[in-house]
Amino acid sequence: MILFIYLTATHGILSKKQTMLRNSYLILSLVIFISTVKGQYFTKINTGPLVNSPGDSRSVNWVDVNNDGWVDCFISNGPTGGQNNSLFINDTHGNFTAVINDPIVLDNKPSDGASFADLDNDGDLDAFVVNWYGVNKLMYINHGNGSFTQIDTGVIVNDGGYSETAAWGDYDKDGFVDLYITNSAGDRKNYLYHNNGNSSFTKIITGSMVTDALSSRSVNWTDIDNDGDPDLFVSNENNQNENIYRNDGMGLFTKLNTGPLLTNLGNTMSSSWADIDNDGDLDVFLANDQGFNSLFMNNGSFNFTKLVNDTLVKTPSRSFSSAWSDIDNDGDLDLFVTNAFGTAKKQLNFLYINDGAGHFTRNSSDIVARDSSWSYGCAFGDYDNDGFEDLAVATCRYGGIDYPDFLYHNNGNSNHWITIQLSGTYSNRSGIGTKIRVKAVINGAHVWQMREISAQTSYCGQNDMRVHFGLGIATLIDSIQIEWPRGMIEFYKDIPADQFLHYSEKIVNTTNNSGLNNLEFNVFPNPGSKSISLSLSNDYFHESDQVLICDIHGKVLIRITPIHTRILSIELTKYKLHTGTYFIKLNRNGMEMIRKFILEN
């Protein structure tokens, strides 16, 4: 039996309508279980407009466009002569209704990737869709109810290009999401636009991330080195190496070019980042067309180990997209990979099940691995709010024929789960870039899992932005830790499983003039080794302040009471800390500011 409750930060329950639907979902789950083959993770859905609207489909985005607590599905379409994109509204009964009169589905352009985020911080998800063949991009502002207005002025929508996909991310942590766009033809230079905070954008024209000319496909804003700011990862095809642009703060980036991840060559279409071994950092899967896929394990400080003996990297592929999800809710992330083109024969997709230690077994019997087509983008999202993530796959035109897209319902099991939605206040409203860590006892061990909220989880794919964790048999979560992009860290304890939670970023009290309002708390150098210095803009440290150095899970390791000084220096060598990531907290009069610090050798 499955029980689900939707909670807000004040732990309010679901609406009466959602509560009344609970029993109907129990019946639906029972019917699906009886009607499916034993051991099948998914059931294919064959009814409804989402799977009966053939198109030359590219991107899949699970996004709640009308703020009703149920994810809707956007699918882009992109043949040479153009085709309208599609938006399917979740009717909360497990079905979808196609939008027919809104500008977002009346474009008739050759579209590829799409990315949704709250670009104006007004509480709803706006849309950005890229086009190929030199056609200008598409930006749509959400009115809050799932209807959109197209924006056709400004450099961000009048730049042409041969664009593959796009991703929103707040690279300068000013509270507004910026946009990066990849191009694979034309002059092949990618685009970066800075959000000015008033729904206008400035095009960035300097730096290697916009002057490199490569055949770029996928892009991710992701904190590779765990230092608290989003780095930029770009995958490239045509036997070109991938790119990492390290975020150095203040809008500055450094291009890295050493190590196995950046010297791998290949025809890389998709990049998907996730903590697959539950060690607290983000690893990356690369999907390749006409070769073998790759998996790189993050060792910290931009160092990676390439996996060479796992089944996941030994299957010849024509892969285009990928998506991570804990499909069986056992406490580790599994992987789905799409395949397309190459021959006149339709291609099978790949499903890999994680054993909990970062090793994978290919499952060829599930329906998602037995359906064949020319599959492109894919994404996971829990469209019926039962605590198990479902899957949608876009299929491309081949031989002049448009094929229907795929929708698979997750059959579920007895394992437990938690799903968390965030709303930024000081940080960007969508919470993009936030890390959520959850600790629970799984298989007799205390396990920390980590997710990072992203507006682009793969090439032409955006997973449900509500962060989902499988918990195995655990019915109680020991700890939830939320690391917001602008430095605030929140902790919650003893949370029952099988809930939808909604947390809003806490607003710092600004009425206490003796507190920390309007001050910048700085840590330098960062990364550092033997010593660090702390400073407050336009203020001194007080004898009543308290400085705490904590590990990545919030455990206090060092307590320091400062003297009255403008610069507080801390000698780290005497504390015998190991290299890694730490949090430095400044407490004053009940208020707290937190900064992340990287300790190097």
Side-chain angles (χ1 to χ4, degrees), residues 428-442:
N428 70 86
R429 187 67 175 267
S430 301
I432 292 169
T434 305
K435 294 188 190 69
I436 303 178
R437 303 179 194 268
V438 167
K439 180 184 179 184
V441 177
I442 301 176

Side-chain angles (χ1 to χ4, degrees), residues 251-301:
L252 301 176
F253 293 83
T254 297
K255 181 180 178 180
L256 307 182
N257 52 29
T258 59
L261 177 57
L262 301 179
T263 56
N264 192 54
L265 298 176
N267 201 34
T268 309
M269 299 294 171
S270 182
S271 52
S272 294
W273 291 80
D275 182 9
I276 67 167
D277 52 358
N278 289 334
D279 67 347
D281 54 31
L282 294 161
D283 315 296
V284 62
F285 172 81
L286 302 182
N288 281 277
D289 180 27
Q290 304 178 57
F292 293 93
N293 296 324
S294 302
L295 181 62
F296 293 86
M297 307 304 292
N298 193 336
N299 302 321
S301 301

Side-chain angles (χ1 to χ4, degrees), residues 389 418-422 436 451-453 464-469:
E389 292 208 301
I418 198 77
T419 300
I420 301 171
Q421 182 178 4
L422 298 182
I436 303 178
R451 306 283 189 269
E452 181 184 61
I453 296 180
D464 188 345
M465 292 174 72
R466 301 176 302 176
V467 180
H468 169 263
F469 296 87

Side-chain angles (χ1 to χ4, degrees), residues 21-68:
L21 285 171
R22 185 181 307 160
N23 289 337
S24 67
Y25 279 112
L26 294 175
I27 296 171
L28 174 62
S29 299
L30 180 62
V31 170
I32 290 173
F33 175 77
I34 293 173
S35 64
T36 56
V37 179
K38 182 179 180 181
Q40 292 284 296
Y41 293 105
F42 294 92
T43 295
K44 185 177 182 180
I45 304 300
N46 292 308
T47 60
L50 197 157
V51 296
N52 286 287
S53 302
D56 188 6
S57 301
R58 307 304 172 94
S59 183
V60 176
N61 304 71
W62 284 111
V63 283
D64 182 3
V65 297
N66 55 3
N67 282 337
D68 65 350

Side-chain angles (χ1 to χ4, degrees), residues 442-459:
I442 301 176
N443 295 328
H446 291 276
V447 176
W448 278 99
Q449 299 182 65
M450 185 266 282
R451 306 283 189 269
E452 181 184 61
I453 296 180
S454 174
Q456 189 77 178
T457 47
S458 65
Y459 175 59

Side-chain angles (χ1 to χ4, degrees), residues 578-597:
H578 298 291
T579 58
T581 302
Y582 297 88
F583 295 117
I584 299 179
K585 302 181 181 182
L586 172 62
N587 293 325
R588 175 181 292 180
N589 297 333
M591 300 170 63
E592 182 176 71
M593 295 183 73
I594 304 175
R595 292 294 178 264
K596 188 175 287 187
F597 169 70

Side-chain angles (χ1 to χ4, degrees), residues 5 7 17 37 72 78 81 86 137 153 185-186 230 262 266 301 400 417 432 439 498 551 553 560 566 571:
I5 306 172
L7 299 185
K17 177 182 178 182
V37 179
D72 313 297
S86 302
K137 317 300 184 295
T153 59
L262 301 179
S301 301
W417 51 273
I432 292 169
K439 180 184 179 184
D498 303 332
D551 66 15
H553 300 309
I560 299 171
R566 184 175 292 277
E571 293 295 328

Side-chain angles (χ1 to χ4, degrees), residues 329-331 414-416 441-444 470-476 497:
N329 281 359
D330 65 348
S414 61
N415 284 338
H416 300 281
V441 177
I442 301 176
N443 295 328
L471 299 171
I473 64 172
T475 59
L476 183 70

